[in-house]
Amino acid sequence: MSRSHRGAIAVLGTGMAGLGDCQGRTEQEIIAQASHRAVAASGLKMQDIDGIITSSLTSPWWVMRMAEYLGIRPRFSDSTMFGGSSFIADLKIAAMAIEAGQCDHVLVCYGANPRSAPSSTQINQMRAALDPQPYEHPYKPFNPVSSYALAAARHMHQYGTTRRQLAEVAVAARKWAQLNPDAFLRTPLTIDEVLGAKMISDPLTVRDCCLVTDGAGAFVVARADRARDLHPRPIYVLGTGHAHWHRQISCMPDVTVTPAVDSGRTAFAEAGLTPADIDLVELYDAFTINPILFLEDLGFCAKGEGGAFIGGGRIEPGGDLPMNTNGGGLSFTHPGMYSIFLVIEAVAQLRREAGERQVPKADVALVHGNGGVLSSQATAILSHSL
Ligand SMILES: CC(=O)SCCNC(=O)CCNC(=O)[C@H](O)C(C)(C)COP(=O)(O)OP(=O)(O)OC[C@H]1O[C@@H](n2cnc3c(N)ncnc32)[C@H](O)[C@@H]1OP(=O)(O)O
């Protein structure tokens, strides 16, 4: 029987920096800026940080570099790499470390500058740095896009999902982005524009794919029972779950069913909640097929019904299930790995600090991160109340 961490930790301050194009600044600099903002917003000083969790697509030494750069001597550090889901999976790691008495204040931070880095092809360098994928490499796929395109094509074949339904995810994200002054792309977007955009990997056009931008994010977590002494509105972590079943898409048992089935079940069980209790969702939208798969696998609708479920404006501003309320990886920002921004946006919504895009009922939020090629899935349920 595993020990529950329900409500054990709370998110205090959050910070972002270098969103979009951070020309002239390194990734280390923008991560440090986001971290200083998060620590200050937590009512702490950088020297109070005794735990750090971070990882990078470009350097295995990242946690040591960042701790050195921030001038801290952590008692607890972790840099486990789960790809894009890492910073939601990190909530469980932080809860375990804090509950075990290893540290009191954990800084989780990430950033990258693939857009403005001197080498404009940093994203391709990231691709090249990925571990070898022996069953796929000989066919020279354009990964990760091609892997997600395979999942989308299979979902369309098996369940009748349409390209218009995929496009609805991108259009909804853009409607949210139009309400977010920090979003990278804010011009209006139509279904036809998504369908008519440059094809990248059939059936995904460039508008079905997340952005390649700069950006950094950070948040601080602490023991829930001390959180109110530090921050007037701590956001409690009610449940977390993490699962991975495969690394490369050719080893995924069924490309329409993701390990979110397991991560979601674990997170909901720990929180003692069901999808009906969730007011808003922040789901890692690396590609438009992702949220459709995740809504199904997390239990918001039946397998195969995700395309219809997101229709009728349900996930848009004013809809029943607000989704990716900052504009998501499709329109807000996406510096290589994205899940840190899912947590930051959920916290803003739960604190009613989301400005024009604030959703009316924001008591319980679900955040869901995705890493690799639907490989690593991490779910967390957050609330302003225990
Ligand atoms: C868990 C996760 O987060 S997975 C997601 C990780 N993030 C990503 O995969 C980013 C996804 N988005 C992208 O890669 C980009 O936005 C793209 C490729 C979809 C479009 O980018 P654009 O800048 O509009 O297109 P552009 O035509 O300039 O291509 C950019 C690069 O991709 C290459 N490329 C684009 N399409 C293809 C293709 N179909 N096949 C092979 N290479 C391609 C181009 O050759 C170019 O390479 P270069 O930088 O070495 O010259």
Side-chain angles (χ1 to χ4, degrees), residues 138-162:
Y139 303 99
K140 298 189 170 40
F142 182 51
N143 266 324
V145 190
S146 298
S147 292
Y148 290 86
L150 188 70
R154 180 68 198 175
H155 205 273
M156 290 167 70
H157 171 77
Q158 197 161 330
Y159 298 113
T161 305
T162 64

Short mmCIF file of all heavy atoms in Angstrom, two decimals, residues 138-162:
data_model
loop_
_atom_site.label_atom_id
_atom_site.label_comp_id
_atom_site.label_asym_id
_atom_site.label_seq_id
_atom_site.Cartn_x
_atom_site.Cartn_y
_atom_site.Cartn_z
N PRO A 138 15.91 3.80 -38.94
CA PRO A 138 16.18 3.52 -40.35
C PRO A 138 15.22 4.20 -41.32
O PRO A 138 15.55 4.44 -42.47
CB PRO A 138 16.04 1.99 -40.44
CG PRO A 138 16.23 1.50 -39.04
CD PRO A 138 15.73 2.58 -38.15
N TYR A 139 14.01 4.52 -40.83
CA TYR A 139 12.99 5.12 -41.72
C TYR A 139 13.05 6.65 -41.68
O TYR A 139 12.25 7.31 -42.34
CB TYR A 139 11.59 4.63 -41.32
CG TYR A 139 11.51 3.12 -41.37
CD1 TYR A 139 11.63 2.37 -40.21
CD2 TYR A 139 11.36 2.45 -42.59
CE1 TYR A 139 11.59 0.98 -40.25
CE2 TYR A 139 11.32 1.07 -42.64
CZ TYR A 139 11.44 0.34 -41.47
OH TYR A 139 11.41 -1.03 -41.52
N LYS A 140 13.99 7.20 -40.90
CA LYS A 140 14.20 8.65 -40.81
C LYS A 140 12.91 9.44 -40.55
O LYS A 140 12.54 10.34 -41.31
CB LYS A 140 14.87 9.16 -42.08
CG LYS A 140 16.25 8.56 -42.32
CD LYS A 140 16.95 9.26 -43.45
CE LYS A 140 18.40 8.86 -43.58
NZ LYS A 140 18.73 7.45 -43.39
N PRO A 141 12.18 9.11 -39.46
CA PRO A 141 10.98 9.90 -39.16
C PRO A 141 11.36 11.32 -38.72
O PRO A 141 12.48 11.53 -38.22
CB PRO A 141 10.36 9.13 -37.98
CG PRO A 141 11.51 8.46 -37.32
CD PRO A 141 12.50 8.14 -38.41
N PHE A 142 10.48 12.28 -38.91
CA PHE A 142 10.69 13.65 -38.42
C PHE A 142 10.10 13.72 -37.01
O PHE A 142 8.97 14.17 -36.81
CB PHE A 142 10.02 14.64 -39.38
CG PHE A 142 10.23 16.08 -38.98
CD1 PHE A 142 11.50 16.57 -38.71
CD2 PHE A 142 9.16 16.95 -38.88
CE1 PHE A 142 11.70 17.90 -38.35
CE2 PHE A 142 9.34 18.28 -38.52
CZ PHE A 142 10.62 18.75 -38.26
N ASN A 143 10.85 13.17 -36.08
CA ASN A 143 10.33 13.10 -34.71
C ASN A 143 10.60 14.38 -33.94
O ASN A 143 11.57 15.06 -34.21
CB ASN A 143 10.94 11.90 -33.97
CG ASN A 143 10.04 10.69 -34.07
OD1 ASN A 143 8.83 10.83 -34.06
ND2 ASN A 143 10.64 9.52 -34.18
N PRO A 144 9.73 14.73 -32.98
CA PRO A 144 8.61 13.91 -32.50
C PRO A 144 7.33 14.03 -33.33
O PRO A 144 6.39 13.26 -33.09
CB PRO A 144 8.37 14.44 -31.09
CG PRO A 144 8.76 15.88 -31.16
CD PRO A 144 9.92 15.94 -32.12
N VAL A 145 7.28 14.96 -34.30
CA VAL A 145 5.99 15.20 -34.98
C VAL A 145 5.42 13.92 -35.59
O VAL A 145 4.24 13.60 -35.43
CB VAL A 145 6.12 16.28 -36.08
CG1 VAL A 145 4.75 16.69 -36.58
CG2 VAL A 145 6.89 17.49 -35.59
N SER A 146 6.28 13.14 -36.26
CA SER A 146 5.79 11.96 -36.98
C SER A 146 5.14 10.95 -36.05
O SER A 146 4.18 10.26 -36.43
CB SER A 146 6.93 11.30 -37.74
OG SER A 146 7.46 12.18 -38.69
N SER A 147 5.66 10.84 -34.83
CA SER A 147 5.08 9.86 -33.89
C SER A 147 3.67 10.27 -33.50
O SER A 147 2.76 9.44 -33.42
CB SER A 147 5.96 9.75 -32.65
OG SER A 147 7.19 9.15 -32.97
N TYR A 148 3.50 11.56 -33.23
CA TYR A 148 2.16 12.05 -32.86
C TYR A 148 1.22 11.99 -34.06
O TYR A 148 0.02 11.74 -33.91
CB TYR A 148 2.26 13.47 -32.30
CG TYR A 148 2.92 13.52 -30.94
CD1 TYR A 148 4.30 13.59 -30.81
CD2 TYR A 148 2.16 13.47 -29.78
CE1 TYR A 148 4.91 13.62 -29.58
CE2 TYR A 148 2.76 13.50 -28.53
CZ TYR A 148 4.14 13.57 -28.43
OH TYR A 148 4.74 13.59 -27.19
N ALA A 149 1.77 12.18 -35.26
CA ALA A 149 0.96 12.08 -36.47
C ALA A 149 0.43 10.65 -36.63
O ALA A 149 -0.71 10.43 -37.05
CB ALA A 149 1.78 12.48 -37.69
N LEU A 150 1.26 9.68 -36.25
CA LEU A 150 0.83 8.29 -36.32
C LEU A 150 -0.35 8.06 -35.37
O LEU A 150 -1.35 7.41 -35.74
CB LEU A 150 2.00 7.38 -35.93
CG LEU A 150 1.81 5.89 -36.12
CD1 LEU A 150 1.76 5.54 -37.60
CD2 LEU A 150 2.97 5.13 -35.44
N ALA A 151 -0.25 8.58 -34.16
CA ALA A 151 -1.35 8.43 -33.19
C ALA A 151 -2.62 9.11 -33.71
O ALA A 151 -3.72 8.57 -33.59
CB ALA A 151 -0.94 9.03 -31.85
N ALA A 152 -2.44 10.29 -34.30
CA ALA A 152 -3.61 11.02 -34.82
C ALA A 152 -4.25 10.23 -35.97
O ALA A 152 -5.48 10.07 -36.02
CB ALA A 152 -3.20 12.41 -35.29
N ALA A 153 -3.43 9.72 -36.87
CA ALA A 153 -3.96 8.98 -38.02
C ALA A 153 -4.70 7.73 -37.57
O ALA A 153 -5.76 7.37 -38.09
CB ALA A 153 -2.82 8.62 -38.97
N ARG A 154 -4.15 7.06 -36.58
CA ARG A 154 -4.80 5.84 -36.07
C ARG A 154 -6.13 6.17 -35.39
O ARG A 154 -7.13 5.46 -35.56
CB ARG A 154 -3.85 5.14 -35.08
CG ARG A 154 -4.41 3.86 -34.50
CD ARG A 154 -4.51 2.77 -35.56
NE ARG A 154 -5.41 1.72 -35.13
CZ ARG A 154 -5.78 0.69 -35.87
NH1 ARG A 154 -5.31 0.56 -37.11
NH2 ARG A 154 -6.58 -0.22 -35.42
N HIS A 155 -6.15 7.27 -34.63
CA HIS A 155 -7.39 7.68 -33.95
C HIS A 155 -8.46 8.04 -34.98
O HIS A 155 -9.63 7.70 -34.82
CB HIS A 155 -7.09 8.89 -33.04
CG HIS A 155 -8.05 9.04 -31.89
ND1 HIS A 155 -9.23 9.72 -32.01
CD2 HIS A 155 -8.00 8.59 -30.61
CE1 HIS A 155 -9.86 9.69 -30.84
NE2 HIS A 155 -9.13 9.01 -29.97
N MET A 156 -8.04 8.68 -36.05
CA MET A 156 -8.99 9.03 -37.12
C MET A 156 -9.54 7.77 -37.77
O MET A 156 -10.74 7.64 -38.02
CB MET A 156 -8.28 9.91 -38.16
CG MET A 156 -7.95 11.30 -37.64
SD MET A 156 -6.81 12.22 -38.69
CE MET A 156 -7.83 12.55 -40.10
N HIS A 157 -8.65 6.82 -38.03
CA HIS A 157 -9.05 5.56 -38.68
C HIS A 157 -9.98 4.75 -37.79
O HIS A 157 -11.01 4.24 -38.23
CB HIS A 157 -7.79 4.75 -39.02
CG HIS A 157 -8.07 3.37 -39.48
ND1 HIS A 157 -8.52 3.09 -40.75
CD2 HIS A 157 -7.97 2.17 -38.83
CE1 HIS A 157 -8.69 1.78 -40.86
NE2 HIS A 157 -8.36 1.21 -39.72
N GLN A 158 -9.61 4.65 -36.51
CA GLN A 158 -10.34 3.74 -35.61
C GLN A 158 -11.65 4.34 -35.11
O GLN A 158 -12.62 3.62 -34.92
CB GLN A 158 -9.43 3.41 -34.43
CG GLN A 158 -9.87 2.19 -33.64
CD GLN A 158 -8.71 1.64 -32.80
OE1 GLN A 158 -7.54 1.76 -33.19
NE2 GLN A 158 -9.02 1.06 -31.67
N TYR A 159 -11.66 5.67 -34.87
CA TYR A 159 -12.82 6.27 -34.20
C TYR A 159 -13.52 7.33 -35.04
O TYR A 159 -14.46 7.97 -34.56
CB TYR A 159 -12.38 6.88 -32.86
CG TYR A 159 -11.83 5.84 -31.92
CD1 TYR A 159 -10.48 5.83 -31.56
CD2 TYR A 159 -12.66 4.84 -31.40
CE1 TYR A 159 -9.98 4.87 -30.71
CE2 TYR A 159 -12.15 3.87 -30.54
CZ TYR A 159 -10.82 3.90 -30.20
OH TYR A 159 -10.32 2.94 -29.36
N GLY A 160 -13.03 7.58 -36.22
CA GLY A 160 -13.70 8.56 -37.08
C GLY A 160 -13.40 10.00 -36.70
O GLY A 160 -14.10 10.93 -37.13
N THR A 161 -12.39 10.21 -35.88
CA THR A 161 -11.98 11.57 -35.53
C THR A 161 -11.58 12.29 -36.82
O THR A 161 -10.96 11.69 -37.70
CB THR A 161 -10.80 11.50 -34.55
OG1 THR A 161 -11.22 10.71 -33.44
CG2 THR A 161 -10.37 12.88 -34.06
N THR A 162 -11.90 13.58 -36.92
CA THR A 162 -11.64 14.30 -38.16
C THR A 162 -10.54 15.34 -37.98
O THR A 162 -10.26 15.77 -36.85
CB THR A 162 -12.92 15.03 -38.64
OG1 THR A 162 -13.25 16.02 -37.66
CG2 THR A 162 -14.08 14.06 -38.81
#
